[in-house]
Amino acid sequence: MKDHVLELENVSKRFGDFTAVNDVTLRIPRGSIYGFLGQNGAGKTTTIRMIFDIIKPTSGRVRILGASSALDVRKRIGYLPEEKGLYKAMTAAACIAYFATLKGISRKAARRDARALLARYGLEKFADTKIQALSKGMGQKVQVLCAIAHDPEFVVLDEPFSGLDPLNQQVLETLIRDLATKGSTVLFSTHVMQHAERLCDQLLLIAKGRKIFDGTVAGAKATMPRRVLISTASNIDALGGLDGVAEIKAVGDSPTNSGAKDWEIRLRGQTDAQAVLEKCFQSGIVLRRFDHTEPSLHDAFVALVGAETATGERA
Amino acid sequence: MRYIVLIALREFLENAKTKGFWIGIFMLPLMMIIGITVSTKLAKAEPSRYFLVIDQSGAFAGPIDQHIEWEYQKSVLGALGQYAQENLRPGEKHDLNLATYQAAVDAFIAAGGKEALLARLKPLLRDNAPAFKEPTRFFVRIEVPNDVDASASHETLLAQLKPYLVGERQVSTDAGSLPLFAAVVIKPDGVEGAMRWTGEESIQYWSTNLAVNNLTQQVQEAINVETRRRLYASQGVDAASVRNIEATWSRLGTFDPAKKAGEETVSTADRIKRNVPIGFVWLLWMSIFTVMQMLLSNTIEEKSNRIAEVLLSSVTPHEIMMGKLLGIAGVGLTMIGAWLGTVFIGLRFWQGPGALELTQALDAITASGLIPMFLLCFLLGYLIYAGLFLSIGALCNDIKEAQSFQGPLMLIMMVPFITMALINRDPHGTLATILTWVPIYAPFTLMNRAAASPPMWEVVCASLLMVATAVLFLWSAGRIFRIALLRSGNRPKLAEIVQWLRGRAE
């Protein structure tokens, strides 16, 4: 059996009539970087709070590092909440050290480690600066360090990239990769797909509290129907008869090729776009443009969430 | 427990480490000391004021001079008393009368005044005692200036005096040219006017400075003495005998039947001790509400800055709450310790008037159960109010929201402050009894009544009631804390909070 740092089994959370998390089952293997995607209000933060036993699930079971409550393994886990904040009057080093002591590190070791950690990420000159004097991004980096100062096996970062400039986002990406290299498991939530695409081994996508995808990035993209965009002035009825073409949609007059029209051709399953190109030649369709791009994670996300929202609304 | 201690330590250090905290602590006794010292020093440093007397009746100029001189001798005697107290050889006792009541001042003057007393005092003083410095003469009478005609009509006289009185011209004194402070003008019918209304004021006091009124009092007293002397004489009574008889001062011993046989006398120390609870109540009030503000703002900081969520991933709400309670209690006790320490040490080394009585009172306070009682009242009061303030802190999103609670809370909090003196005056009265049974006021009331030995059963039952209230408030705070700490947005409605307390909602 594979070693899992986190297991959720049919976890649901209801607040009165509102279901924030609906029957989510999840297993996060040790050593992976796991992306947790979802719209605002999809239930990400509620799920994370249940993982940390800050709130109790209405039903279902959470096991974290083999324990039934995060407090039993608090020394081995780290958490960066979505809404960031630290004690304004404390210095950066004191803050990091304080949270580390709450994770069981001795006061002396915590103070030493805090400075080492700040130095490793180029923040040593801010060690004795009070939090209130730090910029927002700097404060956020300090808070990330607070979450990992005790070398946790499992780290949950809720929206760690929000509010950071591109350079600092890069620093944070490095930090997350460092953690994984050292053997820690990282679960981070985001709604910026590029980060997920670059960092994640696996991802979990939820919408309206329900899990709608759990797997690899490639797997997520594969759920997207492939499509081809063409511009032509010719009649394209012939393409409609092609096996593997699910739908042809007129997009309108081509803005770049005068006299031509733009069409979107949706393909069935894993149909190769090459087949469409061949058919065009065979049917004498004169192509002004033939565009076949891989779907991005962003497209997959929109498509998956869109589908779920639609079914949700029908239900 | 380890986590509670860690949180408590942070709370304690965060508050106790700031300069503001210590400045605040020492500001209080410091302000008191500065206030007392500066006002005494300023009073001593007050300059002499020059006045003149135009007595057209011829009856009062002499008596005014005599009385002003008598008042000055009284201040000399007072200063000698303090001088003796400060410079007496340790352990030395003297049988000199240094009190300043009328007969004592008369006796002092009759015995030869300052020189005679100093001669008797000298052998009793420390070897390095400084020389005695006479106090300033506050009021000095000067001669009427040459261009003022003392025998002129009242209107002319006033016209001539006016430039001096309003400061346009100065009078010559032994210290140079100085402004005239006041003029006493007595019309020819002054003797008659002193006894009855003659249709206008026969004795007039002119001055632009009406705030310093000692001179009017002294002049009036002089005229009263002289008028009475004349009346006695007209009745054939010897005025000197009357003055002697009037100097009689009866003794009244005060006794407390509750004290041990043979020790029933109520001393000054006893009287001080009886009034000490009011000081303790004040201290209790100040310390409890100062630390409550800290508790409130720290809780709100954690909530509004979303620190609570990080904390909750490491510790339970219970641990956070207990840590805060403990840490802030430590801050409160530090504050009280610093205040009491300063006061005790300050009074111990106080050399001024009443030093002996103060020392006795301090010993009495230390020996009595007042300090343990104070600690008990602080602890119970702290826990009761902490329950309230922790709940409010957890319910409010920011300090602004908390301020809307402050208004009604202030009113509630003012009650012990307002009733402080009333309860002290009547420690077994209706008000005292009622407030003993209101748990949020009981700590202050019991403390206030402590020196008057309230019935034991009342103390025990009221304490138990306070313990029960503290438990209830803290239990509720625990529930509210657990749920409200992570909530943001609208403040929950009362009905919702009741649901939480009943454990229905999450």
Side-chain angles (χ1 to χ4, degrees):
Chain A
M1 200 184 102
K2 210 177 168 195
D3 188 12
H4 292 110
V5 291
L6 179 73
E7 293 169 65
L8 301 185
E9 259 174 53
N10 309 104
V11 169
S12 295
K13 178 70 191 178
R14 277 184 289 281
F15 295 103
D17 296 335
F18 174 69
T19 305
V21 175
N22 193 355
D23 199 27
V24 169
T25 297
L26 171 72
R27 283 194 171 73
I28 298 184
R30 186 177 290 277
S32 55
I33 300 180
Y34 218 95
F36 191 6
L37 311 186
Q39 286 173 290
N40 297 332
K44 296 191 295 272
T45 299
T46 306
T47 308
I48 290 172
R49 283 181 177 174
M50 285 191 287
I51 292 173
F52 282 97
D53 202 19
I54 293 171
I55 53 175
K56 305 257 181 244
T58 314
S59 63
R61 199 171 69 103
V62 176
R63 281 194 84 71
I64 176 165
L65 295 172
S68 57
S69 167
L71 287 172
D72 297 337
V73 289
R74 55 180 147 192
K75 296 179 187 179
R76 297 157 62 196
I77 53 180
Y79 175 34
L80 172 78
E82 180 184 3
E83 294 190 71
K84 280 91 186 162
L86 293 168
Y87 294 103
K88 289 202 166 82
M90 284 176 102
T91 64
C95 243
I96 296 173
Y98 175 60
F99 285 110
T101 58
L102 290 185
K103 295 289 192 184
I105 308 279
S106 77
R107 278 164 49 88
K108 202 174 149 201
R111 274 201 289 271
R112 190 191 54 222
D113 293 354
R115 288 185 180 275
L117 202 58
L118 283 164
R120 195 183 318 149
Y121 291 97
L123 296 171
E124 65 267 47
K125 64 171 184 281
F126 298 108
D128 296 313
T129 308
K130 286 191 175 172
I131 298 295
Q132 61 201 5
L134 294 178
S135 69
K136 185 174 176 246
M138 205 63 83
Q140 197 164 329
K141 279 204 280 189
V142 171
Q143 192 165 7
V144 173
L145 297 184
C146 286
I148 62 163
H150 55 293
D151 264 329
E153 288 169 47
F154 178 38
V155 188
V156 176
L157 309 173
D158 199 353
E159 295 287 356
F161 295 101
S162 73
L164 288 183
D165 61 54
L167 269 179
N168 277 318
Q169 291 187 1
Q170 200 59 50
V171 172
L172 188 55
E173 277 192 26
T174 314
L175 185 144
I176 291 175
R177 284 206 187 86
D178 283 354
L179 285 171
T181 315
K182 282 195 303 186
S184 299
T185 311
V186 182
L187 171 68
F188 74 90
S189 80
T190 183
H191 50 246
V192 182
M193 296 305 134
Q194 287 88 330
H195 296 304
E197 211 162 353
R198 278 201 295 272
L199 282 169
C200 294
D201 305 318
Q202 299 237 52
L203 35 95
L204 169 75
L205 179 55
I206 66 169
K208 297 200 151 185
R210 197 185 293 275
K211 178 169 95 174
I212 51 177
F213 179 79
D214 180 13
T216 60
V217 174
K221 289 181 185 173
T223 61
M224 274 290 284
R226 287 156 182 264
R227 54 183 193 151
V228 173
L229 292 172
I230 58 170
S231 286
T232 179
S234 318
N235 183 311
I236 59 160
D237 289 348
L239 293 178
L242 189 65
D243 209 25
V245 169
E247 191 190 358
I248 298 176
K249 226 165 71 182
V251 182
D253 287 335
S254 174
T256 45
N257 301 294
S258 58
K261 279 194 161 73
D262 282 355
W263 304 87
E264 184 187 309
I265 302 160
R266 287 176 174 267
L267 303 179
R268 229 174 245 127
Q270 296 300 306
T271 309
D272 198 342
Q274 203 62 35
V276 179
L277 192 58
E278 271 170 26
K279 186 71 179 175
C280 287
F281 286 133
Q282 286 164 13
S283 319
I285 298 170
V286 182
L287 290 172
R288 301 271 186 87
R289 171 182 170 220
F290 183 87
D291 191 354
H292 168 232
T293 40
E294 276 276 306
S296 66
L297 191 57
H298 179 264
D299 299 327
F301 176 82
V302 172
L304 284 165
V305 171
E308 172 65 22
T309 313
T311 43
E313 268 154 18
R314 273 203 301 275
Chain B
M1 192 60 207
R2 180 189 139 83
Y3 297 101
I4 295 178
V5 172
L6 280 171
I7 293 170
L9 206 61
R10 196 205 77 87
E11 292 284 342
F12 177 76
L13 290 177
E14 275 318 291
N15 285 295
K17 235 170 42 181
T18 58
K19 283 187 219 94
F21 175 72
W22 290 101
I23 292 173
I25 281 185
F26 287 110
M27 204 58 127
L28 194 75
L30 199 70
M31 290 305 275
M32 279 162 68
I33 293 167
I34 290 176
I36 294 169
T37 329
V38 167
S39 60
T40 347
K41 280 265 175 346
L42 275 183
K44 275 188 191 162
E46 231 170 280
S48 298
R49 299 177 197 274
Y50 298 89
F51 71 103
L52 55 80
V53 176
I54 294 173
D55 180 12
Q56 293 174 335
S57 75
F60 296 119
I64 289 175
D65 275 355
Q66 278 169 27
H67 190 72
I68 298 277
E69 177 60 22
W70 187 89
E71 286 284 350
Y72 175 66
Q73 289 305 323
K74 182 179 165 181
S75 74
V76 172
L77 181 58
L80 277 167
Q82 192 170 350
Y83 174 73
Q85 194 138 33
E86 283 165 6
N87 295 298
L88 221 52
R89 203 176 296 130
E92 194 72 68
K93 280 211 182 334
H94 63 79
D95 55 353
L96 303 174
N97 188 356
L98 296 172
T100 54
Y101 54 91
Q102 185 191 307
V105 178
D106 286 348
F108 165 69
I109 297 170
K114 180 189 84 169
E115 301 304 332
L117 189 69
L118 271 178
R120 290 177 62 196
L121 206 54
K122 206 123 227 173
L124 309 173
L125 296 181
R126 288 185 285 123
D127 296 334
N128 57 347
F132 173 68
K133 222 172 135 252
E134 260 183 66
T136 324
R137 276 179 191 273
F138 285 136
F139 300 111
V140 180
R141 187 179 66 76
I142 50 155
E143 294 305 322
V144 179
N146 291 332
D147 56 347
V148 175
D149 180 5
S151 57
S153 74
H154 194 65
E155 285 67 32
T156 320
L157 189 60
L158 285 182
Q160 289 171 347
L161 279 175
K162 206 146 192 188
Y164 291 101
L165 283 168
V166 298
E168 283 166 15
R169 302 186 60 184
Q170 296 196 323
V171 289
S172 65
T173 71
D174 48 3
S177 266
L178 285 169
L180 182 67
F181 177 70
V184 178
V185 179
I186 302 167
K187 292 188 183 173
D189 63 346
V191 177
E192 184 67 15
M195 288 183 289
R196 62 185 66 86
W197 177 243
T198 56
E200 53 179 3
E201 297 292 358
S202 304
I203 303 170
Q204 301 182 352
Y205 177 85
W206 290 83
S207 175
T208 50
N209 186 338
L210 298 174
V212 177
N213 55 7
N214 309 25
L215 183 58
T216 54
Q217 285 165 11
Q218 291 185 18
V219 168
Q220 202 164 17
E221 179 64 15
I223 291 170
N224 280 338
V225 170
E226 174 58 16
T227 305
R228 280 182 208 136
R229 192 192 62 78
R230 282 167 181 262
L231 287 173
Y232 288 136
S234 72
Q235 305 275 320
V237 181
D238 175 20
S241 313
V242 171
R243 192 169 169 94
N244 277 339
I245 295 165
E246 277 179 351
T248 317
W249 203 257
S250 86
R251 296 186 57 92
L252 175 70
T254 320
F255 300 90
D256 182 350
K259 293 177 79 175
K260 249 190 274 163
E263 294 174 11
E264 296 108 326
T265 320
V266 177
S267 60
T268 314
D270 281 330
R271 269 181 224 112
I272 295 176
K273 203 179 110 188
R274 179 125 319 159
N275 283 307
V276 156
I278 217 171
F280 275 115
V281 175
W282 189 80
L283 194 64
L284 196 63
W285 193 84
M286 279 294 282
S287 51
I288 286 187
F289 293 120
T290 309
V291 297
M292 283 310 132
Q293 290 300 325
M294 292 179 185
L295 198 61
L296 186 67
S297 60
N298 284 19
T299 311
I300 290 177
E301 185 192 11
E302 274 166 11
K303 189 170 169 179
S304 66
N305 287 350
R306 313 284 165 183
I307 301 166
E309 187 151 5
V310 193
L311 284 177
L312 287 174
S313 71
S314 303
V315 290
T316 60
H318 174 78
E319 284 166 329
I320 299 179
M321 203 176 96
M322 293 317 271
K324 279 185 169 305
L325 273 181
L326 205 65
I328 299 288
V331 176
L333 289 173
T334 308
M335 193 160 66
I336 290 168
W339 280 343
L340 281 185
T342 324
V343 170
F344 269 57
I345 292 168
L347 289 185
R348 199 47 86 195
F349 290 101
W350 172 253
Q351 292 297 335
L356 186 69
E357 284 85 354
L358 280 175
T359 315
Q360 285 171 352
L362 281 188
D363 292 339
I365 293 165
T366 322
S368 72
L370 285 181
I371 290 178
M373 189 66 190
F374 175 77
L375 289 177
L376 177 78
C377 288
F378 174 77
L379 193 71
L380 290 173
Y382 173 77
L383 291 176
I384 289 174
Y385 282 95
L388 275 177
F389 277 83
L390 277 172
S391 308
I392 293 172
L395 286 173
C396 295
N397 288 313
D398 51 43
I399 209 88
K400 242 193 191 144
E401 274 189 37
Q403 272 161 358
S404 64
F405 279 99
Q406 298 277 44
L409 266 181
M410 271 304 261
L411 287 181
I412 294 174
M413 276 153 42
M414 282 317 285
V415 173
F417 195 78
I418 296 166
T419 55
M420 212 182 268
L422 298 175
I423 292 172
N424 187 264
R425 213 176 302 148
D426 189 6
H428 302 304
T430 318
L431 184 69
T433 319
I434 291 173
L435 290 185
T436 302
W437 299 108
V438 182
I440 54 169
Y441 298 136
F444 306 100
T445 315
L446 275 190
M447 185 67 240
N448 212 335
R449 299 177 65 187
S453 321
M456 204 39 161
W457 71 269
E458 266 190 55
V459 177
V460 172
C461 292
S463 301
L464 288 177
L465 187 63
M466 281 193 275
V467 171
T469 311
V471 169
L472 176 73
F473 278 20
L474 286 175
W475 175 84
S476 312
R479 289 239 153 168
I480 292 174
F481 207 71
R482 190 164 60 85
I483 302 168
L485 212 50
L486 282 179
R487 278 189 47 138
S488 51
N490 285 341
R491 217 163 48 206
K493 297 200 173 55
L494 194 62
E496 222 173 319
I497 298 172
V498 172
Q499 290 267 307
W500 298 353
L501 292 180
R502 295 164 75 183
R504 292 262 175 83
E506 184 123 317

